[in-house]
Amino acid sequence: MKTILKYNFSFLLLLITLVSCSTEEKKSQTKADTRVNNAPNIILFVSDDHGTDAIGAYGNKVIKTPNLDQLAAEGVRFENAYCTSASCAASRSVILTGLYGHATGSYGHVHDYHHFSSYDNIKSLPVLLENSGYETARIGKYHVAPESVYHFQKVLEADPRNTVEMAEQCKDVLNSDKPFFLYFCTDDPHRGAPFESDPWNLPNSFGNKKEGYNGVETVTYDPKDVVVPSFLPDSQESREEIAQYYQSISRIDQGFGKLMKMLKDTGKDKNTIVIYISDNGMAFPGAKTTVYEPGIKLPCIIKDPLANIKGGSVNNALISWTDLTPTILDMADISYDSNDFHGKSFKKIMGEENPKGWDEVYASHTFHEITMYYPMRVVRDKNYKLIRNIAWRQEYPFASDLWAASTWQEVYRSEKEYFGKRKVKDYLFRPEFELFDLSKDPDESNNLANDANYTDVLEALKTKMKAFQKETKDPWLITWDHDNSLQGTGVNL
């Protein structure tokens, strides 16, 4: 009898436990379902080689970007947003992981024989969002690998030079019953193939076509009207290429406008966070593939209708593309371990013009093409910026499209002394350290590294750079006094 009672009591305890667990699971699931149902949609719109030099909202009075300007009028414009590497694939890996490329194996280009690829244990933004109930979709330029790391549930197809067509292909995603993450990546305004013109002084097309694109109004610019950035030579060749660059950007703007109209038509615009950025600066020598300001200081415009931030706000915080993944997760109210990312969320300071504690940023470039080994590390602390050219003894290597650019060839073929405000020899042959005071020298033309008056500044920034490399497990830490503290045994255990 006692045995029977004992078994019955044990069974009752088990039944109570199972019911209790089931109830808790249902509560947890209900809570998760509620969070997912209330989660904001997210659109991350990434252009290819677009600098702050060519957006109306950033001060260019010539270029026509009414839709991007409207986004800035309704959202927040960041004045000091930085990619970490001015190279397409390397930069995109950072955008989608919150980690510097030197820590993930994403050292340079993915395609063709370059074949750089992220480690297979990396957890990317789309995967983290999918695991939290989001529908994830991408369209346009991908340029990261492997697919298992950067997995999206839906891959949409369209001409990546026709952003209007791209927007139209996103209709089903915008009407999704689940919260969605749309990764919208154009090929514009990247230089167009073929890179070499015949004759050499013809401007690159930047993807523009005489016949235009279906659904897109062709917006052209007169070379005499364009704004030539100070780091470029003010030549006919430069002006003609900038005019083509502007035309490509106006095509982006129309597609962006189309996407925003479609979003509004769904009624989801009040619950959708929209982020506009670029992967790196304009595809001209002195910008793309460099860590000078035109290469890494980029547009970042964010509209978060749930954040109650005044439209037209300006934020002067120094932010990095390593901050994007944790910020987006934070916006989506998805919990994460902050130690999993090199960046940090800037969600809470978006509405502040001059937030405290956001006055430092780092950059890390190693490759563009595999033949372009030229590792550079950067620290910017307030107005001081230090660049370390690790391979400074070799000539600065050119990206194939930038070498062929008529803007460069005009200077090269004429054997001119200057390219913009820099001497050609100084652009090609750089010292190990370049130190600039950006408040007095925004063009980065006066290197203070050998000035005795700035010895303390130089040493302080070197210390910060070493600490950054150690903290982010940068293999190139070894180039400081053969420091091999990050190197393993060479044996897989």
Side-chain angles (χ1 to χ4, degrees), residues 155-328:
V155 179
L156 309 176
E157 299 292 339
D159 182 348
R161 291 285 188 180
N162 187 338
T163 47
V164 170
E165 179 185 313
M166 291 173 70
E168 290 168 348
Q169 293 302 311
C170 297
K171 182 178 179 180
D172 288 345
V173 173
L174 299 182
N175 284 288
S176 173
D177 292 331
K178 299 170 66 176
F180 63 80
F181 171 56
L182 174 61
Y183 185 55
F184 191 110
C185 300
T186 70
D187 272 9
D188 292 325
H190 193 287
R191 285 178 176 267
F195 296 139
E196 293 188 23
S197 300
D198 186 17
W200 68 266
N201 59 348
L202 287 180
N204 184 269
S205 70
F206 286 83
N208 304 319
K209 299 189 299 186
K210 288 182 179 179
E211 66 274 22
Y213 291 86
N214 289 334
V216 180
E217 177 190 353
T218 300
V219 180
T220 60
Y221 295 87
D222 190 323
K224 70 178 176 57
D225 295 332
V226 303
V227 180
V228 181
S230 59
F231 70 92
L232 290 177
D234 190 350
S235 63
Q236 183 64 22
E237 287 77 10
S238 287
R239 287 182 169 275
E240 288 177 349
E241 291 210 300
I242 292 171
Q244 295 292 321
Y245 167 63
Y246 280 13
Q247 182 177 331
S248 187
I249 291 166
S250 284
R251 189 163 54 251
I252 292 175
D253 187 78
Q254 290 182 57
F256 180 81
K258 174 71 174 181
L259 186 67
M260 292 301 99
K261 183 181 184 305
M262 291 172 61
L263 178 66
K264 188 172 183 178
D265 289 346
T266 67
K268 296 183 179 182
D269 55 310
K270 294 178 176 59
N271 190 41
T272 301
I273 297 164
V274 180
I275 303 171
Y276 181 86
I277 62 170
S278 172
D279 57 356
N280 50 250
M282 65 190 301
F284 285 74
K288 183 177 179 177
T289 76
T290 79
V291 288
Y292 295 128
E293 294 292 282
I296 61 175
K297 187 176 180 181
L298 302 176
C300 179
I301 307 172
I302 302 178
K303 179 185 176 183
D304 182 354
L306 305 177
N308 195 29
I309 297 172
K310 182 180 177 182
S313 296
V314 174
N315 191 304
N316 292 310
L318 271 66
I319 63 169
S320 162
W321 284 180
T322 58
D323 299 323
L324 287 171
T325 284
T327 299
I328 290 171

